Amino acid sequence: MRLTQGTFSFLPDLSDAQITAQIEYCLERGWAVSVEYTEDPHPRNTYWEMFGIPMFDLKDAAGIMREVEACRRTFPNCYIKVNAFDATRGIESVRLSFIVARPAEEPGFELLREEGPGRQVRYSLRSYATRRPEGHRY
């Protein structure tokens, strides 16, 4: 099951040249760029682990690509994404976020159904990867 989160998630994986072009787009607008990774890409897990620090003053896409490559080498079996943060007063939000690396095997999610009192039914999602301990999921 292919994870579809963030911008471009329904497209084939971006090449490094395409990732560089997107980073340049972000830098041209003055957005700060950061690199994050996770083993648990649950849709509600919005807080991934940050790799390095946000690159507020970096104006060169090559420097950010070096961070992406370092993250890929350090965490080869994790999901890795690039975020672009707009610090403009009144916006102060992530403007663009896209996955730049994924594990070779993506186990997907299971749908859990829980019946409660009366006719109450609750549904939730759980990643199959979370069945294994952290650090051994992929």
Side-chain angles (χ1 to χ4, degrees):
M1 175 181 171
R2 182 178 168 82
L3 180 73
T4 53
Q5 288 182 18
T7 311
F8 316 121
S9 63
F10 293 96
L11 298 174
D13 290 339
L14 298 177
S15 67
D16 283 354
Q18 291 169 320
I19 293 169
T20 301
Q22 293 304 319
I23 291 171
E24 287 171 352
Y25 173 86
C26 298
L27 295 175
E28 288 168 4
R29 279 147 187 78
W31 300 341
V33 178
S34 65
V35 178
E36 297 180 350
Y37 66 95
T38 189
E39 286 187 325
D40 180 17
H42 189 283
R44 290 189 179 160
N45 177 14
T46 57
Y47 299 105
W48 291 21
E49 301 294 326
M50 189 169 290
F51 186 82
I53 58 173
M55 295 162 260
F56 288 102
D57 297 329
L58 198 57
K59 303 297 178 206
D60 181 21
I64 296 168
M65 283 305 294
R66 281 193 291 277
E67 281 290 301
V68 168
E69 284 303 318
C71 190
R72 286 175 176 164
R73 283 191 307 275
T74 307
F75 302 101
N77 295 317
C78 288
Y79 291 91
I80 301 170
K81 70 178 174 180
V82 169
N83 294 317
F85 181 81
D86 185 354
T88 305
R89 183 177 169 95
I91 296 174
E92 299 165 339
S93 178
V94 172
R95 290 291 209 125
L96 183 65
S97 178
F98 56 97
I99 294 175
V100 295
R102 38 181 92 239
E105 174 200 352
E106 294 185 78
F109 296 89
E110 66 180 319
L111 179 65
L112 302 172
R113 176 187 164 121
E114 181 182 332
E115 296 187 23
R119 301 178 109 183
Q120 183 183 24
V121 178
R122 290 156 89 201
Y123 293 94
S124 60
L125 291 174
R126 181 174 57 202
S127 171
Y128 288 116
T130 58
R131 291 180 178 171
R132 289 177 261 171
E134 202 169 315
H136 303 284
R137 293 182 175 163
Y138 291 101

